[in-house]
Amino acid sequence: MSEKLGPKDELKPKGLKGISDQQLEYHFETHYKGYVTKINEVWERLQTVDRSKANQNFSEYRALKVEESFNLMGVVLHELYFENIKDGKDSKPSAKLMKHLEKNFGSFEKWKDDFRACGIALRGWAVLIYDLSTGKLINNGLDAHNVYGFLNAIPLLVLDVYEHAYYADQGPKRLPYIEAFFENVNWNVVSKRLERALKVHKAI
Ligand code: FE
């Protein structure tokens, strides 16, 4: 893994409803870019780490593998999150996405209630995923970038609920931030992700 990752500046949202530009600036420039810097550092060190000293209690190799997972998922989840709130004004879920949400959750509102609860109950993320093993849509809650995420799944909608995502605007109040998030979702992006997930499911 020698090629360095660069930040995707084109994903930075601006002018959202209920989430200030200052809040987004801190989040994008400090937190997201911090993960980009650190995954490059981890990959650099993995090139030369002493694999003969690998140990499950403590070893440099173990520490690097744990932080590889934390930092790469930090990059990936933030990119998906920023992309799915950028330029979403007046967008609506596609008919196909609505059908899948209704089939899996009963109705759009029931899906939304569950996603909101997921965002309140978990410490890091709420992620609507398409599970390639079952073909189900599931709201996957994560306590950290690399804690409790389902494998063999494709993320469709990503919500960051870390304090750093809303404290500048809301202080400790997470719920108004989650409601603002719903107002800004770019459903065109989410609907396209479902299309891609369905194609992958068909192909495997
Ligand atoms: Fe974040």
Side-chain angles (χ1 to χ4, degrees), residues 27 31 35 78 125 160 162 164-165:
H27 197 175
H31 296 274
Y35 298 117
H78 278 98
W125 301 88
D160 189 336
Y162 273 95
H164 68 235

Side-chain angles (χ1 to χ4, degrees), residues 52-161:
S52 72
K53 293 202 169 70
N55 179 288
Q56 64 183 313
N57 292 352
F58 171 73
S59 57
E60 193 186 350
Y61 181 78
R62 180 188 154 76
L64 287 167
K65 290 310 282 182
V66 169
E67 302 313 339
E68 179 186 38
S69 146
F70 184 74
N71 284 283
L72 182 58
M73 289 306 97
V75 171
V76 168
L77 287 164
H78 278 98
E79 289 178 354
L80 291 165
Y81 164 76
F82 289 122
E83 186 187 40
N84 67 215
I85 51 173
K86 188 171 190 272
D87 301 334
K89 202 168 171 279
D90 300 327
S91 65
K92 293 211 162 45
S94 68
K96 199 179 281 180
L97 176 58
M98 280 303 268
K99 210 182 83 191
H100 279 263
L101 289 171
E102 284 162 8
K103 192 174 141 208
N104 286 274
F105 296 92
S107 68
F108 180 81
E109 284 308 315
K110 281 185 181 163
W111 163 75
K112 197 174 166 184
D113 286 347
D114 188 68
F115 194 80
R116 185 189 294 109
C118 202
I120 295 289
L122 277 293
R123 298 170 189 155
W125 301 88
V127 183
L128 171 66
I129 56 124
Y130 183 91
D131 176 34
L132 290 165
S133 303
T134 62
K136 281 181 186 294
L137 263 59
I138 301 173
N139 288 329
N140 181 192
L142 282 67
D143 269 356
H145 318 327
N146 55 349
V147 177
Y148 308 141
F150 297 159
L151 296 178
N152 208 29
I154 296 183
L156 305 180
L157 176 66
V158 174
L159 163 61
D160 189 336
V161 293

Side-chain angles (χ1 to χ4, degrees), residues 26-70:
Y26 290 146
H27 197 175
F28 196 94
E29 296 298 327
T30 303
H31 296 274
Y32 162 57
K33 289 192 177 175
Y35 298 117
V36 175
T37 303
K38 285 296 171 185
I39 190 58
N40 286 321
E41 207 176 308
V42 167
W43 280 341
E44 177 88 38
R45 291 196 33 195
L46 273 168
Q47 290 187 42
T48 53
V49 65
D50 187 350
R51 284 165 171 79
S52 72
K53 293 202 169 70
N55 179 288
Q56 64 183 313
N57 292 352
F58 171 73
S59 57
E60 193 186 350
Y61 181 78
R62 180 188 154 76
L64 287 167
K65 290 310 282 182
V66 169
E67 302 313 339
E68 179 186 38
S69 146
F70 184 74

